[in-house]
Amino acid sequence: GDEGGDGSDEEKFDDFADLETGDKYGPNGEVLSSDDDDDDDADSDDESGDPTEGMTDEEIRTYHAEKKMKQKKGFDDDYDEDKKSKGMGELNDDEAENEYLETLKRQKEEKMKRNHEEFGGEGERSRLRHEGFRQGIYCRIRLDGIPASFIENYNPELPLVIGGLTPQETNLGFVRCRFKKHRWHKKILKCNDPLVFSIGWRRFQSIPTFSTEDDNNRHRYLKYTPEHMHCFATFYGPQSPPNTGILAIQRMSENIAGFRIAATGVVLELNANFPVVKKLKLVGTPTKIYKNTAFVTGMFNSDLEVSRFEGASIRTVSGIRGQVKKAIREGQPGSFRATFEDKILRSDIIFCRTWMPVKMKEYYNPVTNHLSSKGTSGWHGMRNKALMQLETGTPIEVNPDSIYKPIERPERKFRKLRVSKKIEGGLPFASKPKDEPKKRKGGYLSQRAVVMEASEKKKFTFLQAVNTIRNEKVKVRKEKKRSSNLEKAKKNAKRDEAIAAARKVNKKRQYRAEGKREKFQEAKRAKT
């Protein structure tokens, strides 16, 4: 067995063509022709061999140069056709525009022809069944469950926008958003006052609860919105995707003076409930006071409440801190024993800081202005107490306990600190009391007689004489200064009178000139 065999036994291959590029190759892998070559070259070339076979070097170079020029000419022709179709090239603007419109018409006709061939005799109906309704086509929509008042009060001059909702947006729940009062709105917004929200396709009325986030991620209740800051608002309504814009107004009536938009915001998160807490101070008073222990009453109502607050921190108004210990049986229900850092007084007020959860109001009222013949004015939503009092003319209720009254606190007199001699002796000198006792008036020094000697009398007489001379000089100096001040005042009065007279003359001259000018202008207008 000759396994290797000779060349005559090898498998022979014919010519083959690349279907992607269109190039044709011989049995040995040489390039025979390409689709980019012209038909003349394809007819003239020998498909079974090399077209340059039997040519001299000069003829081969000439062949390749001509082939390259033909390819370049074909590329230039294609490029010029593209430029003409886009309105470019040597054509002017009008011709380019006409050429472009003609191209669009041809494309449209070709598209219509392909559609007709594709959809057959059914035409537009079959196309709508496969493609759906295109833009610019009238369509008929059937709506179920429409109230009769909508048909009766429908105004065809007002357009209706038809939108769709995802299944999630049809559910109701609590929405938390970042909220800010609009800077052009006159007043700040109050918590639990109804607002009309515009979110996406919907407008509805709800009651927001405002809060701010503390450092420990606790949402603290706010009674009013901040003046120039964001806050958080939580309200009950249809769920909207996060980052959806929110617009809020207070009233839908058209006769609102001032800026209508009350606040703006963006949706942050959705949930079945959001925890919001507010401060609650529990106040109590001491009944019995021992060294560092006291019995407190009035803070709780039962022993059960005391047991829930065991270990809670309490504090007096004077700043003494303490802790709730145990409930006691004596006294009124809710009394307990508490320990403090120091002994407290009977007049101290004890309070305990706590946080109470705020319950959200589940109120949702959609704006149905299309069901009324009056439009927006025919829809009536919830009104707050201030608007109702304003519309009905009801006077504002005044609670006497809420009126500020002057605080009169009698000044307390504390007993003087007494330090025993034994303790005072052990203190350092800097801490020892150094208050001298008050001296009586008219004591020994004021009643004793002083007898001076001759030399002392002489010195005393000399000092008296010196003081008398000094006092006389001071008296003369004051008199001269008083007289000079009077003369200076007289001169200033004369100067002021002269200045006032000059100003009066100047003003009189100025008013006279202005009067003449006005009279001349009136006469000129009368002539014209």
Side-chain angles (χ1 to χ4, degrees):
D2 189 3
E3 297 179 359
D6 53 356
S8 60
D9 294 336
E10 294 180 356
E11 185 177 358
K12 299 289 185 178
F13 293 99
D14 293 334
D15 299 342
F16 64 94
D18 191 346
L19 299 179
E20 293 184 358
T21 60
D23 297 335
K24 296 180 180 179
Y25 299 90
N28 297 324
E30 66 274 10
V31 180
L32 297 180
S33 64
S34 175
D35 287 348
D36 295 336
D37 297 342
D38 293 336
D39 296 334
D40 296 340
D41 294 339
D43 296 340
S44 61
D45 292 342
D46 186 7
E47 296 180 358
S48 62
D50 189 2
T52 59
E53 186 178 357
M55 294 184 182
T56 62
D57 294 341
E58 187 67 26
E59 292 175 349
I60 291 173
R61 282 195 292 271
T62 305
Y63 171 76
H64 285 301
E66 291 177 355
K67 184 176 179 181
K68 187 174 181 181
M69 289 298 295
K70 290 179 180 178
Q71 290 178 350
K72 185 177 185 303
K73 185 177 182 302
F75 173 77
D76 291 340
D77 294 340
D78 295 340
Y79 182 71
D80 292 339
E81 288 294 332
D82 292 340
K83 287 187 1 179
K84 288 181 181 180
S85 64
K86 296 179 181 178
M88 300 170 59
E90 300 178 356
L91 301 176
N92 55 23
D93 294 340
D94 295 337
E95 293 178 354
E97 184 177 359
N98 294 334
E99 186 70 22
Y100 179 68
L101 292 177
E102 290 295 332
T103 304
L104 292 179
K105 288 180 181 179
R106 287 196 301 270
Q107 293 177 357
K108 185 178 179 181
E109 290 176 358
E110 292 175 359
K111 189 175 181 181
M112 293 176 63
K113 185 178 179 182
R114 288 198 304 270
N115 290 336
H116 183 71
E117 294 175 355
E118 180 70 24
F119 296 108
E122 295 184 11
E124 190 70 17
R125 184 174 300 176
S126 177
R127 183 178 179 185
L128 292 177
R129 186 170 62 253
H130 289 85
E131 289 185 349
F133 291 93
R134 303 184 303 277
Q135 295 179 356
I137 295 180
Y138 286 98
C139 60
R140 179 180 295 171
I141 301 175
R142 176 179 174 179
L143 302 176
D144 297 330
I146 300 298
S149 55
F150 177 81
I151 306 300
E152 295 173 356
N153 303 314
Y154 174 66
N155 185 6
E157 297 179 356
L158 295 178
L160 289 178
V161 179
I162 300 177
L165 298 173
T166 60
Q168 181 186 1
E169 293 176 336
T170 58
N171 299 327
L172 295 178
F174 285 100
V175 180
R176 174 170 285 172
C177 61
R178 187 184 295 112
F179 210 63
K180 184 180 180 181
K181 181 192 79 72
H182 201 282
R183 59 179 179 174
W184 292 349
H185 194 67
K186 293 183 179 180
K187 297 181 180 180
I188 58 177
L189 305 178
K190 187 179 179 181
C191 188
N192 291 331
D193 275 357
L195 289 177
V196 177
F197 294 92
S198 177
I199 305 177
W201 298 103
R202 289 173 163 172
R203 284 189 306 172
F204 58 91
Q205 189 181 42
S206 186
I207 299 178
T209 302
F210 303 132
S211 62
T212 182
E213 189 174 9
D214 294 337
D215 295 334
N216 55 358
N217 297 328
R218 176 177 54 205
H219 281 265
R220 180 164 45 87
Y221 174 84
L222 291 179
K223 191 173 183 180
Y224 298 96
T225 56
E227 186 71 28
H228 302 291
M229 289 176 57
H230 286 87
C231 68
F232 292 95
T234 308
F235 58 88
Y236 184 77
Q239 296 184 353
S240 303
N243 296 328
T244 304
I246 296 176
L247 206 65
I249 58 177
Q250 283 187 324
R251 287 182 290 170
M252 295 288 292
S253 58
E254 299 177 354
N255 56 351
I256 297 178
F259 198 66
R260 180 185 295 269
I261 299 175
T264 56
V266 61
V267 176
L268 295 180
E269 52 183 332
L270 314 171
N271 204 341
N273 191 15
F274 289 101
V276 177
V277 294
K278 67 177 180 179
K279 284 183 180 179
L280 178 64
K281 278 188 178 181
L282 304 177
V283 181
T285 54
T287 55
K288 290 183 181 181
I289 300 173
Y290 300 98
K291 189 175 181 180
N292 284 352
T293 306
F295 292 169
V296 183
T297 185
M299 186 176 291
F300 304 110
N301 296 323
S302 64
D303 295 345
L304 180 61
E305 293 183 5
V306 177
S307 63
R308 293 193 63 182
F309 280 86
E310 284 183 5
S313 299
I314 56 178
R315 187 172 170 269
T316 64
V317 177
S318 57
I320 302 174
R321 294 173 297 183
Q323 191 178 24
V324 178
K325 289 298 183 182
K326 288 285 185 180
I328 56 176
R329 295 181 179 179
E330 59 184 24
Q332 66 182 30
S335 301
F336 62 93
R337 180 174 61 87
T339 57
F340 296 90
E341 294 175 332
D342 198 0
K343 188 176 181 180
I344 64 174
L345 302 176
R346 285 292 298 269
S347 59
D348 276 336
I349 298 175
I350 304 166
F351 58 88
C352 177
R353 288 182 176 178
T354 59
W355 297 97
M356 186 182 71
V358 178
K359 186 178 180 181
M360 309 287 180
K361 295 180 174 58
E362 298 183 0
Y363 174 72
Y364 169 71
N365 183 14
V367 178
T368 56
N369 56 326
H370 288 292
L371 303 182
S372 176
S373 59
K374 298 180 181 179
T376 305
S377 302
W379 178 80
H380 300 287
M382 179 186 287
R383 295 175 294 177
N384 54 17
K385 188 176 180 181
L387 284 177
M388 295 180 65
Q389 289 176 343
L390 184 65
E391 293 178 1
T392 58
T394 306
I396 300 174
E397 297 179 2
V398 179
N399 187 2
D401 294 337
S402 301
I403 299 175
Y404 289 100
K405 300 172 185 177
I407 301 174
E408 297 179 0
R409 292 192 179 96
E411 187 178 356
R412 297 183 61 184
K413 294 182 180 181
F414 297 94
R415 290 179 298 178
K416 190 175 180 180
L417 179 64
R418 300 287 182 181
V419 182
S420 63
K421 295 292 183 182
K422 185 177 180 180
I423 296 176
E424 185 178 347
L427 292 175
F429 178 77
S431 301
K432 287 183 179 181
K434 303 175 183 62
D435 298 333
E436 296 182 359
K438 280 189 176 182
K439 297 178 180 179
R440 292 182 301 169
K441 292 183 179 180
Y444 166 72
L445 293 177
S446 61
Q447 293 177 3
R448 69 182 178 176
V450 180
V451 180
M452 292 185 290
E453 297 180 357
S455 60
E456 291 178 349
K457 278 186 178 183
K458 191 175 180 179
K459 292 178 183 178
F460 185 73
T461 306
F462 177 73
L463 288 175
Q464 279 186 336
V466 170
N467 288 334
T468 303
I469 294 171
R470 183 178 62 83
N471 293 336
E472 190 66 25
K473 285 183 178 180
V474 170
K475 184 178 179 181
V476 172
R477 194 181 298 118
K478 286 184 178 180
E479 187 66 26
K480 284 184 178 180
K481 191 173 181 180
R482 189 177 63 82
S483 61
S484 65
N485 288 339
L486 289 175
E487 292 179 0
K488 189 175 181 180
K490 290 180 181 179
K491 289 181 181 180
N492 291 338
K494 288 182 181 180
R495 188 185 62 186
D496 293 341
E497 288 179 1
I499 291 173
R503 286 179 178 174
K504 187 175 181 181
V505 172
N506 291 334
K507 284 186 178 181
K508 191 174 182 180
R509 188 182 299 114
Q510 182 181 357
Y511 293 154
R512 188 185 299 114
E514 289 180 358
K516 288 182 179 180
R517 192 182 302 110
E518 291 178 359
K519 189 175 181 181
F520 174 75
Q521 290 178 357
E522 289 179 359
K524 188 176 180 180
R525 284 196 295 268
K527 288 181 180 180
T528 56

